[in-house]
């Protein structure tokens, strides 16, 4: 069994990514830590707890950072719905998280199992940045860190011309994490819009699976699906699930190892992933950037997770 630790700002696509990990026979999810982002922290915690319960899993969920490191929280509820889960009428309240703080849980989990933990970060990197500031040694003790964030080498951005939301929401945290020495892999929004768009045929195929989990995936996607189609996509895209697919099976991915940094200013540069493709900056390559993930393989993994 591979050992995953998942950090999430649980909204619709995060929840589908959680299902993919929780339902995979080869993966043990050690813990889920939650960060504010798509929605506020309390709502994100409830969304994660609901998803774990729906999967029949016994995985502790811990609350983490309620705001970015140096900025006010700016959520993405306009994309995912007020509750982050498509405003589908789910009972997303009343559940109680485990005792513990997200960043500390990340430290304890990684140091408790050196070279065994895959950390999958699906939201703003606040919890992960705090964890590595608390215990820099986790950068050498973790097996892999898979991050959904940035726009890879292709662009474009989804919250500004060049910035992806997770890095834009807390650019200081993203900069800390990218510089920390982790064995890190970025799966950007460019990969999602290239390989993980749920067009009409894909949408009908997911509905046709006919399980409670496939219905859940369809129901919670309705708000983001409308938003995506109003903004030129053929359907909703699934950035967190395709990042999870890469965490589960990186063997089919095309990657490029490059030096990157995250811009921390305001205005158009906020949260932009600076990728030194030609080596002009002289920095050592520090991130494996996914440049392609096969669409058919991704949807095969997704369907398997949503099936009986």
């Amino acid at each position: 069994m591979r050992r995953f630790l998942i950090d999430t700002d649980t909204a619709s696509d995060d929840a589908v990514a959680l299902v993919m990990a929780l339902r995979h026979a080869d993966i043990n999810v050690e813990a889920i830590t939650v960060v504010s982002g798509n929605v506020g922290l309390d709502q994100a915690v409830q969304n994660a707890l609901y998803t774990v319960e729906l999967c029949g899993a016994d995985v502790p969920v811990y609350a983490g950072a309620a705001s970015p490191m140096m900025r006010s929280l700016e959520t993405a509820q306009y994309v995912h719905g007020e509750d982050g889960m498509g405003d589908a009428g789910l009972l997303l309240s009343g559940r109680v998280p485990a005792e513990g703080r997200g960043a500390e849980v990340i430290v304890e989990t990684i140091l408790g199992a050196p070279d065994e933990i895959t950390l999958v970060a699906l939201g703003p990197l606040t919890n992960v940045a705090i964890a590595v500031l608390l215990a820099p040694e986790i950068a050498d003790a973790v097996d892999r860190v898979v991050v959904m964030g940035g726009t890879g080498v292709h662009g474009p951005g989804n919250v500004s011309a060049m910035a992806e939301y997770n890095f834009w929401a807390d650019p200081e945290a993203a900069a800390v994490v990218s510089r920390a020495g982790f064995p890190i892999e970025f799966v950007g929004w460019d990969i999602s819009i290239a390989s993980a768009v749920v067009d009409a045929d894909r949408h009908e195929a997911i509905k046709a699976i006919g399980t409670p989990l496939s219905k859940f995936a369809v129901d919670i996607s309705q708000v983001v699906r409308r938003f995506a189609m109003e903004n030129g996509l053929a359907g909703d895209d699934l950035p967190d699930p395709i990042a999870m697919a890469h965490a589960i099976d990186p063997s089919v991915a095309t990657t490029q190892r490059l030096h990157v940094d995250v811009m921390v200013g305001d205005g158009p540069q906020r949260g932009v992933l600076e990728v030194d493709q030609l080596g002009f900056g002289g920095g050592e390559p520090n991130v494996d950037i996914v440049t392609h993930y096969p669409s058919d393989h991704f949807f095969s993994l997704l369907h398997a997770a949503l099936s009986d």
Side-chain angles (χ1 to χ4, degrees):
M1 296 286 287
R2 290 178 289 161
R3 305 175 72 174
F4 275 26
L5 169 61
I6 303 171
D7 189 69
T8 174
D9 59 336
T10 330
S12 54
D13 65 313
D14 304 72
V16 175
L18 290 178
V19 170
M20 292 176 70
L22 293 167
R23 295 270 296 165
H24 199 283
D26 186 39
I27 291 167
N28 183 65
V29 179
E30 304 280 317
I32 296 168
T33 56
V34 182
V35 65
S36 59
N38 286 322
V39 292
L41 180 64
D42 290 344
Q43 185 66 68
V45 167
Q46 290 299 316
N47 295 350
L49 287 165
Y50 182 95
T51 305
V52 169
E53 184 179 295
L54 185 67
C55 290
D58 183 19
V59 176
V61 174
Y62 299 90
S67 62
M69 295 179 73
M70 299 175 64
R71 300 172 185 261
S72 299
L73 174 64
E74 297 185 58
T75 68
Q77 287 162 290
Y78 65 97
V79 175
H80 296 279
E82 283 302 308
D83 65 6
M85 302 282 268
D87 297 328
L90 303 175
L91 183 59
L92 300 171
S93 62
R95 294 170 180 84
V96 180
E99 292 188 9
R101 299 171 62 180
E104 294 172 357
V105 169
I106 292 172
V107 171
E108 293 165 2
T109 303
I110 292 172
L111 295 183
D115 302 319
E116 293 186 20
I117 300 297
T118 293
L119 172 60
V120 185
L122 304 176
L125 290 168
T126 318
N127 285 340
V128 182
I130 295 171
V132 78
L133 291 173
L134 288 172
E137 62 269 27
I138 67 173
D140 292 323
V142 72
D143 182 34
R144 298 170 66 202
V145 178
V146 178
V147 171
M148 190 283 120
T151 56
V153 298
H154 304 307
N158 65 358
V159 71
S160 72
M162 296 185 292
E164 176 276 329
Y165 172 78
N166 286 343
F167 287 4
W168 179 91
D170 195 344
E172 288 78 17
V176 167
V177 171
S178 67
R179 299 168 186 171
F182 283 115
I184 196 165
E185 305 157 43
F186 283 177
V187 185
W189 189 61
D190 55 323
I191 301 305
S192 180
I193 59 175
S195 296
V197 174
V198 186
D199 62 16
D201 289 342
R202 297 285 193 189
H203 187 65
E204 291 303 315
I206 293 171
K207 289 170 64 176
I209 295 171
T211 64
L213 285 173
S214 67
K215 184 179 187 304
F216 172 68
V218 168
D219 289 348
I220 63 176
S221 73
Q222 293 310 303
V223 173
V224 67
R225 185 171 180 81
R226 286 195 297 271
F227 177 85
M229 295 177 75
E230 288 167 1
N231 285 275
L233 293 181
D236 53 307
D237 67 300
L238 297 172
D240 291 332
I242 200 164
M244 186 62 75
H246 175 68
I248 292 169
D249 185 5
S251 68
V252 297
T254 303
T255 64
Q256 191 171 0
R257 188 159 184 81
L258 296 166
H259 180 80
V260 308
D261 206 349
V262 179
M263 301 177 73
V264 298
D266 291 311
Q269 72 269 34
R270 173 180 172 177
V272 170
L273 181 65
E274 183 182 68
V275 182
D276 189 2
Q277 295 190 57
L278 299 179
F280 288 128
E284 287 294 320
N286 58 341
V287 171
D288 289 310
I289 297 180
V290 174
T291 58
H292 175 68
Y293 199 90
S295 182
D296 287 349
H297 191 73
F298 163 65
F299 279 103
S300 176
L301 290 173
L302 176 63
H303 280 234
L306 300 178
S307 301
D308 288 328

